[in-house]
Amino acid sequence: MSTHIDFYFDFSSTYSYIGQHRLRELAKQHDVTVHWKPIALGAIFKMLGHAPATPDSPKGAYIWRDVERSAAEWGLPFNWPSPFPFNSIPAARVFYVLAEKDEDTAVRWAIAVFEAAYREGRNCSDPAVLVDVAESLGIDSDSLMESTNDEAIKQKLKDVTAEASDRGIFGTPAYFLDDELYWGADRIDQILRKLDNAGTG
């Protein structure tokens, strides 16, 4: 049984907000390492010819209510950010800028962005908001956003997104345990049962 989970997510994914919270609880319970991997889900949608459901469609209306209901079920504050969906590319690139120096700092950043977006309803496509989030964590924000224009950082996000696509990911949150894909915040329960049955907890 693997002792790590690959976690692919998009900051503009409401279910990723719920999933990352539950995944962190699972990781503590079972002493499992989580490899956080932000991706550009829109690029995968484009490759697959998919489009996000709009609030005025039956599926979209259901998702809007289901997200709120699911967050409440797990005791998570939830406020829709405006606009939604938002451009998650800058936040994802900042993650990889930070990860080059310290993975733990990058993970703290990811958690803080999710909180800012879905707990506080802030626009996390706005560079000023992202700088504010960084400063709240004690991260040096000088030239932080400029760093996201580095070609190596841009390519890193593209590479991880391509990696996700190659592994069969079509939506987020997505998790890999022992090279098996689990999709959706509610699939954390299946991962928990698998870990429990393996006796890793």
Side-chain angles (χ1 to χ4, degrees):
M1 172 63 68
S2 174
T3 57
H4 78 268
I5 294 172
D6 291 335
F7 171 41
Y8 294 88
F9 63 94
D10 189 299
F11 285 110
S12 194
S13 162
T14 52
Y15 288 112
S16 289
Y17 164 64
I18 297 169
Q20 59 85 29
H21 175 81
R22 299 198 62 211
L23 184 61
R24 288 189 285 125
E25 292 183 341
L26 176 152
K28 291 178 183 177
Q29 180 179 341
H30 287 275
D31 193 25
V32 171
T33 298
V34 177
H35 297 157
W36 292 58
K37 294 173 174 280
I39 63 173
L41 184 58
I44 291 179
F45 281 173
K46 186 175 181 179
M47 284 187 286
L48 296 175
H50 292 175
T54 58
D56 58 352
S57 68
K59 181 179 179 181
Y62 173 82
I63 289 174
W64 253 245
R65 178 66 190 119
D66 185 63
V67 166
E68 294 169 351
R69 185 173 57 216
S70 298
E73 179 182 1
W74 296 107
L76 295 176
F78 186 86
N79 288 285
W80 286 98
S82 181
F84 184 82
F86 59 86
N87 179 9
S88 62
I89 299 296
R93 287 179 180 170
V94 169
F95 178 95
Y96 288 116
V97 169
L98 297 173
E100 283 192 334
K101 297 179 180 179
D102 182 68
E103 189 74 24
D104 289 342
T105 299
V107 171
R108 289 196 302 119
W109 160 263
I111 295 169
V113 171
F114 277 124
E115 293 288 302
Y118 301 108
R119 179 186 289 261
E120 302 170 17
R122 303 177 72 183
N123 177 10
C124 286
S125 63
D126 184 345
V129 172
L130 297 182
V131 166
D132 188 51
V133 171
E135 291 178 348
S136 73
L137 297 171
I139 296 172
D140 185 2
S141 62
D142 289 344
S143 74
L144 181 63
M145 298 311 299
E146 288 84 350
S147 299
T148 63
N149 292 317
D150 184 276
E151 289 303 321
I153 294 299
K154 291 181 179 180
Q155 190 60 47
K156 176 66 176 180
L157 178 57
K158 292 177 182 178
D159 289 346
V160 179
T161 299
E163 171 188 300
S165 178
D166 290 344
R167 297 184 80 175
I169 288 174
F170 52 87
T172 59
Y175 324 89
F176 275 92
L177 175 66
D178 291 334
D179 290 324
E180 184 170 2
L181 171 63
Y182 297 81
W183 172 61
D186 54 344
R187 291 304 183 264
I188 292 291
D189 296 316
Q190 291 185 2
I191 298 174
L192 271 169
R193 286 192 290 272
K194 184 171 183 178
L195 292 171
D196 285 337
N197 293 336
T200 63

